[in-house]
């Protein structure tokens, strides 16, 4: 019987495990992928927006070579943190089912069964991409994650989207000699695109170096072609790869199966106590990005690290009252 079962081994899940250790509460951290699986799936050359000090957890300094750390440095850092705190990690174990009993939860995974007095869900949002729901989206040439530009050298690629990830992918593959076309639902490049990048992509489009179809969307994908609908009508484009940078969403299916309730808003925000992060189900908590529902730009590592302290303090207070 563990005091706390933590679902998600990202930075916030690790922070929850560290706070549990500090307060002599037993814990287990379960993740269907590797340690910090979302960061692992970031582009290989990705650099964080935040400085390294804002990504620190567990009082372990994060020293990076530049002002802002990259993916490789972050993976190294969180491995070091997990090892230093001797966190109880169960990686590559998917949570299949949770069952609430009177005094504890039973968590069934693809490998084990765990009994926990409390559960913290810190699953982030990067594991489930928004699908375009078009014919041919399941073809191998369609990617919802981007790693590096080399495979797209001299290839006809379509980048779907107009936010930061899509813009970064379009610019990087263009500079590695891919023939890049952007297909964008909106009328312009996203307003939240990094201010030092936005003029670059707009100038590349203006100069015709990167083609862009605004107010457009893909209607069908075939092995060597893609159909799109534009304000001027249907067009068929030669195509080798589709990089669908359409964004990601929390694992709502898991939350719903656990009985978590949601506000009736556009973002499907989970209902929880903002001071303790406890949901409407006693002893079931949420932490990190998942607290924002579809508003995935509300919570980040730097402003949700505090969730771990709030949750563990509440669990400790309840435990002390009972004892």
């Amino acid at each position: 019987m563990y005091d706390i079962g933590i679902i998600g081994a990202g930075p916030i899940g690790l922070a929850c495990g560290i706070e549990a250790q500090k307060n002599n509460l037993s814990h287990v951290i379960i993740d269907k992928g590797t340690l910090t699986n979302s960061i692992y799936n970031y582009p290989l050359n990705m650099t964080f927006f935040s400085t390294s000090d804002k990504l620190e957890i567990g009082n372990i300094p994060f020293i990076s070579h530049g002002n802002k750390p990259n993916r490789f440095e972050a993976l190294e850092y969180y491995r070091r943190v997990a090892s230093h705190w001797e966190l109880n990690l169960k990686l590559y174990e998917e949570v299949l089912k949770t069952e609430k009993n009177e005094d504890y939860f039973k968590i069934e995974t693809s490998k084990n069964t765990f009994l926990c007095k409390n559960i913290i869900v810190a699953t982030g949002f990067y594991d489930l991409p928004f699908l375009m729901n078009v014919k041919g989206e399941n073809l191998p040439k369609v990617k919802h994650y981007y790693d590096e530009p080399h495979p797209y050298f001299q290839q006809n690629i379509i980048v779907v989207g107009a936010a930061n990830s899509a813009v970064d992918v379009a610019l990087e593959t263009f500079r590695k000699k891919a023939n890049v076309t952007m297909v964008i639902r909106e009328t312009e490049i996203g307003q939240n695109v990094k201010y030092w990048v936005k003029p670059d992509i707009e100038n590349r489009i203006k100069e015709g170096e990167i083609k862009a179809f605004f107010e457009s969307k893909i209607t069908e994908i075939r092995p060597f072609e893609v159909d799109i609908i534009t304000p001027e009508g249907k067009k068929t484009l030669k195509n080798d790869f589709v990089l669908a940078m359409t964004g990601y969403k929390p694992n709502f299916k898991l939350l719903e199966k656990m009985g978590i309730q949601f506000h009736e808003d556009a973002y499907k925000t989970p209902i929880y106590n903002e001071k303790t992060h406890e949901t409407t189900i006693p002893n079931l908590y949420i932490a990190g990005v998942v607290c924002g529902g579809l508003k995935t730009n509300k919570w980040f590592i730097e402003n949700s690290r505090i969730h771990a302290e709030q949750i563990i303090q509440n669990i400790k207070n309840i435990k002390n009252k009972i004892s």
Side-chain angles (χ1 to χ4, degrees), residues 52-290:
S52 56
D53 60 299
K54 293 182 178 180
L55 305 179
E56 292 176 354
I57 58 174
N59 301 316
I60 305 294
F62 185 172
I63 308 300
S64 59
H65 294 293
N67 181 44
K68 296 181 178 180
N70 58 38
R71 169 188 172 276
F72 176 83
E73 291 171 324
L75 292 176
E76 174 63 32
Y77 171 73
Y78 291 116
R79 286 197 301 269
R80 184 157 51 89
V81 168
S83 297
H84 173 84
W85 282 98
E86 298 181 341
L87 297 176
N88 184 20
L89 295 163
K90 303 296 180 182
L91 304 175
Y92 298 102
E93 288 196 38
E94 183 177 3
V95 173
L96 304 176
K97 180 183 178 183
T98 63
E99 181 181 305
K100 178 78 162 70
N101 294 292
E102 187 173 344
D103 298 319
Y104 65 92
F105 294 89
K106 182 167 74 171
I107 303 175
E108 295 183 15
T109 76
S110 52
K111 295 181 181 179
N112 294 290
T113 298
F114 301 97
L115 304 181
C116 306
K117 297 176 184 176
N118 303 272
I119 289 181
I120 303 172
V121 181
T123 47
F125 73 99
Y126 198 64
D127 287 335
L128 292 173
F130 277 107
L131 299 179
M132 296 177 289
N133 295 315
V134 298
K135 185 176 179 181
E137 188 170 7
N138 60 342
L139 288 172
K141 73 172 190 173
V142 180
K143 314 289 183 182
H144 288 93
Y145 293 92
Y146 170 80
D147 47 12
E148 60 175 329
H150 179 77
Y152 310 110
F153 174 72
Q154 291 191 354
Q155 300 300 293
N156 295 312
I157 71 167
I158 287 177
V159 177
V160 181
N164 276 295
S165 57
V167 168
D168 287 344
V169 168
L171 287 171
E172 187 170 32
T173 52
F174 159 71
R175 292 202 162 94
K176 300 302 180 184
K177 307 303 180 184
N179 178 24
V180 180
T181 299
M182 299 184 74
V183 176
I184 301 167
R185 283 180 176 269
E186 297 78 15
T187 58
E188 59 184 0
I189 295 296
Q191 292 301 314
N192 293 325
V193 169
K194 293 168 286 192
Y195 69 87
W196 62 94
V197 174
K198 196 166 185 285
D200 189 2
I201 188 67
E202 289 174 337
N203 286 331
R204 301 292 70 74
I205 293 172
K206 183 179 179 180
E207 296 295 325
E209 296 169 307
I210 292 176
K211 302 182 188 71
F213 292 94
F214 293 96
E215 298 182 79
S216 303
K217 62 180 182 179
I218 290 177
T219 56
E220 184 176 342
I221 303 168
R222 295 184 293 279
F224 306 107
E225 293 178 332
V226 167
D227 290 339
I228 66 172
I229 188 71
T230 76
E232 289 75 40
K234 178 182 173 182
K235 295 182 182 293
T236 298
L237 309 177
K238 290 183 179 180
N239 176 258
D240 299 302
F241 292 96
V242 175
L243 304 181
M245 303 293 103
T246 48
Y248 307 90
K249 59 183 176 180
N251 189 343
F252 289 121
K253 184 178 292 187
L254 173 64
L255 301 181
E256 289 166 353
K257 285 169 66 176
M258 298 178 77
I260 291 176
Q261 298 179 5
F262 303 86
H263 290 284
E264 293 182 4
D265 58 17
Y267 300 107
K268 199 174 182 180
T269 311
I271 298 173
Y272 67 98
N273 183 315
E274 293 188 6
K275 292 183 178 179
T276 65
H277 284 258
E278 189 173 24
T279 66
T280 54
I281 299 173
N283 308 112
L284 176 56
Y285 301 81
I286 57 174
V289 176
V290 72

